[in-house]
Amino acid sequence: MKKIRVMLADDHPIVMTGFALSLEGQGLEVVAQARTPEDALAQFQQVRPDVIVLDIRFGEQMTGLDVAKQILAHQPDAAIVFLSQFDQDSLIKETYRIGGRAFMTKDCDPADLAAAVRRADEGQLYFLPHVAERLANLSVRGDASPQSQLDERALEIFTLMAEGLTNAEIAEKLDVSTKTISNISQAVKEKLGVHRPAYITRLAVKHGLIEP
């Protein structure tokens, strides 16, 4: 039986070391560890692991989701297992939507993580029971998340609004006019049915767009 070559990407060295030991204890081979999104992209190209276990929330300019999208754009069959401290429904759904093969929380059993890696290496999806149940519920009741209702630019602006930036600050950050941002932000508020800053922030936290 071949030894599956695994790459880890997480900005917490202690966490990453713990996962490396756990996976190696399960008979897997950890061939690389990356602490930034940029390093993750570079090492993935260099090492070409069988599976990458990728933290969703790390980095400043880029996130784990951004890393995954870039990897999958160049290698659509890449095997990605997502790790997260948070498990909002919309975040779980997004990881599978973009092409991830498993979603695991950081408090998962090492045996479950190893099982997810092995299933991902085989080209299969892996669902813990509670994740499968929540995805099934989403498909039944529909998805009311900002991610499902907004296009990419509107979602980016909504996220910046939730972080407390003013229209002028968002306009400067995105290099567009304040009037453009004002029009889009108003349309976003109407579409999502939220107008007060506190409600906007609460909605973004609920759906995993920003940390609490």
Side-chain angles (χ1 to χ4, degrees), residues 45-194:
Q45 293 299 323
Q46 180 180 358
V47 177
R48 295 290 180 178
D50 297 315
V51 179
I52 177 171
V53 178
L54 181 61
D55 182 21
I56 293 176
R57 297 280 188 200
F58 79 134
E60 296 179 1
Q61 300 303 316
M62 297 176 64
T63 68
L65 291 174
D66 295 323
V67 171
K69 289 174 183 176
Q70 289 198 35
I71 288 174
L72 291 166
H74 293 92
Q75 187 178 327
D77 63 343
I80 299 176
V81 172
F82 283 104
L83 269 178
S84 180
Q85 189 174 351
F86 308 99
D87 63 348
Q88 293 94 336
D89 289 350
S90 56
L91 189 61
I92 295 172
K93 183 176 181 179
E94 180 69 4
T95 60
Y96 284 102
R97 186 192 70 79
I98 67 174
R101 296 186 181 173
F103 177 96
M104 309 295 293
T105 53
K106 290 189 176 182
D107 60 354
C108 68
D109 188 295
D112 287 330
L113 180 58
V117 168
R118 291 192 174 94
R119 186 71 64 84
D121 181 59
E122 295 169 355
Q124 305 297 315
L125 298 179
Y126 182 83
F127 300 94
L128 287 171
H130 77 279
V131 170
E133 181 179 356
R134 289 167 68 174
L135 286 172
N137 287 338
L138 274 177
S139 67
V140 171
R141 69 172 187 261
D143 186 356
S145 69
Q147 292 94 321
S148 69
Q149 299 186 66
L150 303 176
D151 61 30
E152 187 173 347
R153 174 44 68 93
L155 184 63
E156 181 179 20
I157 291 170
F158 171 77
T159 303
L160 294 173
M161 291 163 58
E163 291 174 348
L165 276 66
T166 65
N167 284 346
E169 290 169 335
I170 296 173
E172 181 178 0
K173 184 178 182 67
L174 301 182
D175 196 24
V176 296
S177 71
T178 302
K179 183 176 180 181
T180 296
I181 297 301
S182 179
N183 291 338
I184 295 175
S185 65
Q186 186 58 38
V188 165
K189 291 175 184 177
E190 295 292 340
K191 190 160 193 174
L192 298 179
V194 290

